[in-house]
Amino acid sequence: VGDAIDPADGSFWMCDPNLRRLVNYRMDGTMKKIIGKTKYTQTSPIRHPADIAIDNSGLIYVVESTYDDVLVFDKTGKKKGQFTVPQPTAIAVNDNYIVVGAKAGFVIMDKNAKILKVVGTAGKGANQFDTVNGVALDADNNIYIVDTYNNRISKYSISGKRLWMTNAGYPGNKHNVPGKKEYTSKH
């Protein structure tokens, strides 16, 4: 479901929620490494990975939506930390910040996972969110948010101030879209 490019060597990491693991591939498609187990056990280090980000120091951040957790591993697979974010869905990291998207907004943290700002609540309003499934940080620490079911893309400053917002179409949870033919099935 989630993927990331390792900034150190350009390899590709992906989340494999079915087998509860992270898989690292070389860019030629050959497998390089696995973090996690191929069968679930009570001691599996990863239970349900949903998104992944890798910082320049090599730390791997894994969102576990089902468990309200973000796990942190080094590249050997050793768990280095864990922090809680309610209903996390997406993650982005850089040298200074961690940004975690969630069902009802996003959280801006420093690299020690200290919360600096919580942005948003659940809903359809201008300052509300309905599942943040995409998060990115640029070189100036601006945050880009994909608000999936509100069909909005927004840019925020690192302080949490919205800089712009654009609609990306009709919200996915609306059914009667003006000018569009409704499709129904007849049995």
Side-chain angles (χ1 to χ4, degrees):
V1 288
D3 57 18
I5 301 295
D6 187 331
D9 64 8
S11 63
F12 177 85
W13 285 85
M14 60 155 269
C15 297
D16 182 351
N18 291 330
L19 295 178
R20 295 165 172 86
R21 64 186 184 169
L22 306 175
V23 184
N24 184 212
Y25 291 94
R26 293 175 189 87
M27 291 312 265
D28 67 2
T30 58
M31 189 170 22
K32 184 176 176 183
K33 175 182 226 75
I34 293 175
I35 296 176
K37 299 181 179 184
T38 56
K39 289 187 175 183
Y40 177 73
T41 67
Q42 293 295 334
T43 61
S44 295
I46 301 168
R47 298 168 294 179
H48 196 270
D51 198 18
I52 183 173
I54 304 166
D55 70 14
N56 287 326
S57 73
L59 291 177
I60 302 169
Y61 297 79
V62 181
V63 169
E64 290 196 307
S65 301
T66 305
Y67 298 97
D68 295 336
D69 285 330
V70 176
L71 308 175
V72 184
F73 296 93
D74 66 16
K75 286 188 188 173
T76 69
K78 182 178 180 185
K79 189 173 175 183
K80 303 300 272 183
Q82 178 175 340
F83 53 92
T84 300
V85 174
Q87 299 179 309
T89 53
I91 190 163
V93 297
N94 66 16
D95 291 337
N96 303 307
Y97 298 101
I98 303 166
V99 179
V100 180
K103 292 264 305 171
F106 62 98
V107 179
I108 303 166
M109 302 178 194
D110 68 15
K111 286 303 286 260
N112 296 314
K114 177 184 172 199
I115 295 174
L116 303 174
K117 180 83 174 180
V118 176
V119 179
T121 58
K124 306 287 175 215
N127 294 313
Q128 295 181 315
F129 298 86
D130 189 358
T131 311
V132 173
N133 274 330
V135 178
L137 280 159
D138 69 17
D140 296 322
N141 296 318
N142 293 305
I143 304 164
Y144 300 83
I145 299 292
V146 176
D147 183 357
T148 302
Y149 295 111
N150 286 328
N151 273 16
R152 297 188 288 224
I153 301 169
S154 299
K155 179 180 180 180
Y156 287 84
S157 69
I158 200 64
S159 67
K161 179 183 176 199
R162 181 179 273 144
L163 303 174
W164 55 257
M165 177 180 74
T166 186
N167 291 320
Y170 292 104
N173 53 358
K174 291 218 175 175
H175 298 287
N176 296 314
V177 177
K180 298 285 182 180
K181 181 181 177 184
E182 287 243 16
Y183 292 93
T184 58
S185 62
K186 294 182 180 181
H187 299 278

